Amino acid sequence: MAPPVEGFPDVLAVAPLTAAPDVTLRPPGSKSITNRALLCAALAPGRSVLRGALFADDTRAMLGAIAGLGAGVGADEDRATVTVDGIDPRTTATGGTLDARQSGTTSRFVLPVAALGTGRTVVDGAAQLRARPFGPLIDALRDLGAEVTEEGEPGRLPVAVRGPVRGGEVDLPGHLSSQFISGLLMAGPLMRDGLRMRLTSELVSVPYLDMTVAVMAAFGVDAERLAVAPGAYRPADYAVEPDASAASYLLAAAAVTGGRVTVAGLGAGSLQGDVAFADALERMGARVERYADRITVTGTGALRGIDIDMADISDTAQTLAAVAVFADGPTRVRGIGFIRGKETDRIHAVVTELRRAGLDAVEHDDGFTVNPGTPSPTRFATYDDHRMAMSLALLGLRVPGIEIADPGCVAKTYPGYFTDLDRLR
């Protein structure tokens, strides 16, 4: 069990709703966009301002990392605003140790940036992050000219890097994590020879690469998914949109309770691929209304089981598993084998917990099948994984006796999640 998080109980009971909700909510800023924008701002000499930024454990890890690289950082949490005075890490970074905590984006994004400078920089993190794979990124940095030392297990953090990384062409797999590619791409403009990546396996999570390219463009760098020429970042005043992965839980709540939930600030033009989770709910029978500045989901009281490939929206797979419990037939989720290497083995974990509640769930190499049923009263383990806690809590909106162990793990990306869940009441 993870240590308790300040402000959260050890166990949280979720009471069923007594009436269908009809609310408008705005989730916090996107973690994925916030961390990309923070890094691009840190690489843009001059002052940038990020508005609507997320303040959670993962983004605080990035704030600490860019400060460790030499950027100036000012934060106003009440206004969700960050100011960043950027640097050129090729000339100003002095080395040291960067603590990425549990943040995969922070660690995989700052490692290539740390390799731009001539100082020796160590990137490390919590035990959970040390267990996640880094081998392809380590190999790519070596191939691009960096000096890389694995100070623990091969292919794992902690990793020490020293540059300057020269850039050029490099091969790396696409099936493990798009974060490797995004991290290299954001460092690429500051590499002497630019960067061109060749994939040795099929690319997963394509929308996240498109997001990286879009955020880089906002800070003055034109890039393609797998290539970028030498160039320079420019400071920007940048607005961060609400987190689409976080929104998935709120939209799912409408589908499973027969209520209506509108997510404000997240519209059809979102940079985030996870807005497509609404499409999955629509396939299952919910009514979805899409606007430029909001999405509304209304539960119809009837949900269908579906067969769906979620490779491009894998962070919402556990959310769909919770919805699938209340469908009229089995739901098969495919294409997400790579999420076994996330905060926990998310396929095994979600199947294990659904079975704990007496439900019929089946684990596959590339995903899972959930057969509908009525959950028994259960205290769910959350594996120190924020997405396990947030998705399994949805079951408690429909059935009594659902408890969430270690609810504080939601602080990783959505500290106010359970407050927002209560607003459905």
Side-chain angles (χ1 to χ4, degrees):
M1 181 177 291
V5 176
E6 185 177 353
F8 287 89
D10 292 339
V11 176
L12 186 144
V14 182
L17 299 184
T18 57
D22 186 358
V23 297
T24 296
L25 297 169
R26 185 183 178 100
S30 164
K31 177 200 77 172
S32 299
I33 295 177
T34 298
N35 271 359
R36 284 165 172 79
L38 284 172
L39 188 62
C40 290
L43 300 178
R47 174 161 291 186
S48 294
V49 180
L50 276 62
R51 306 181 193 279
L54 171 67
F55 284 90
D57 195 68
D58 273 18
T59 53
R60 287 190 175 91
M62 180 63 84
L63 286 166
I66 64 173
L69 289 169
V73 177
D76 184 338
E77 294 197 30
D78 292 337
R79 297 184 179 181
T81 300
V82 181
T83 58
V84 179
D85 293 311
I87 56 155
D88 184 339
R90 295 169 296 188
T91 58
T92 58
T94 58
T97 297
L98 306 178
D99 181 6
R101 305 190 188 189
Q102 294 184 354
S103 175
T105 53
T106 299
S107 55
R108 290 165 174 172
F109 291 176
V110 302
L111 194 59
V113 170
L116 293 167
T118 56
R120 183 179 184 274
T121 302
V122 177
V123 177
D124 200 1
Q128 185 191 65
L129 187 60
R130 284 185 172 190
R132 296 176 68 174
F134 283 78
L137 183 55
I138 291 168
D139 292 342
L141 288 172
R142 285 187 176 128
D143 291 344
L144 292 168
E147 177 186 319
V148 186
T149 304
E150 293 142 288
E151 300 197 330
E153 296 182 27
R156 300 285 193 270
L157 297 182
V159 172
V161 291
R162 187 193 301 271
V165 59
R166 64 175 182 272
E169 295 187 349
V170 68
D171 295 336
L172 72 167
H175 71 284
L176 292 176
S177 176
S178 65
Q179 291 174 358
F180 301 144
I181 300 168
S182 285
L184 289 165
L185 195 64
M186 285 186 282
L190 303 187
M191 297 180 188
R192 183 193 69 190
D193 300 331
L195 181 66
R196 294 171 299 283
M197 292 176 278
R198 295 183 298 254
L199 299 183
T200 59
S201 60
E202 185 176 359
L203 181 61
V204 297
S205 302
V206 173
Y208 284 99
L209 274 187
D210 292 338
M211 179 195 299
T212 301
V213 170
V215 174
M216 291 173 69
F219 287 86
V221 171
D222 291 326
E224 301 173 8
R225 283 180 185 166
L226 300 176
V228 63
Y233 285 97
R234 297 193 301 269
D237 191 311
Y238 188 85
V240 178
E241 62 187 52
D243 193 290
S245 305
S248 74
Y249 310 106
L250 307 178
L251 298 177
V256 302
T257 63
R260 182 172 66 175
V261 174
T262 297
V263 171
L266 194 66
S270 170
L271 295 180
Q272 300 169 79
D274 280 357
V275 293
F277 180 76
D279 300 341
L281 293 178
E282 192 169 45
R283 285 183 58 193
M284 295 185 79
R287 186 167 70 249
V288 179
E289 300 167 80
R290 301 169 181 83
Y291 305 93
D293 61 348
R294 65 194 187 280
I295 297 174
T296 298
V297 169
T298 304
T300 61
L303 290 168
R304 299 184 293 270
I306 60 174
D307 191 315
I308 183 171
D309 187 319
M310 300 188 76
D312 285 343
I313 56 171
S314 63
D315 277 348
T316 65
Q318 292 143 293
T319 322
L320 197 75
V323 177
V325 169
F326 303 108
D328 64 1
T331 293
R332 171 71 161 98
V333 173
R334 304 176 187 273
I336 58 168
F338 58 94
I339 73 171
R340 294 184 183 277
K342 295 281 190 174
E343 282 82 342
T344 187
D345 179 341
R346 286 178 167 169
I347 294 173
H348 179 73
V350 76
V351 168
T352 297
E353 293 311 305
L354 292 178
R355 287 176 174 171
R356 188 193 301 273
L359 297 161
D360 181 10
V362 181
E363 182 177 343
H364 309 291
D365 287 344
D366 72 333
F368 51 77
T369 296
V370 176
N371 293 288
T374 301
S376 303
T378 306
R379 178 175 294 179
F380 286 118
T382 51
Y383 304 78
D384 205 15
D385 182 348
H386 54 134
R387 302 209 183 282
M388 289 295 294
M390 290 188 280
S391 58
L392 293 171
L394 296 173
L395 303 184
L397 299 178
R398 278 276 298 264
V399 298
I402 298 300
E403 296 180 336
I404 304 298
D406 303 320
C409 64
V410 302
K412 188 173 193 292
T413 56
Y414 197 167
Y417 174 68
F418 291 108
T419 299
D420 280 354
L421 212 60
D422 274 341
R423 288 177 177 148
L424 297 174
R425 306 180 191 283

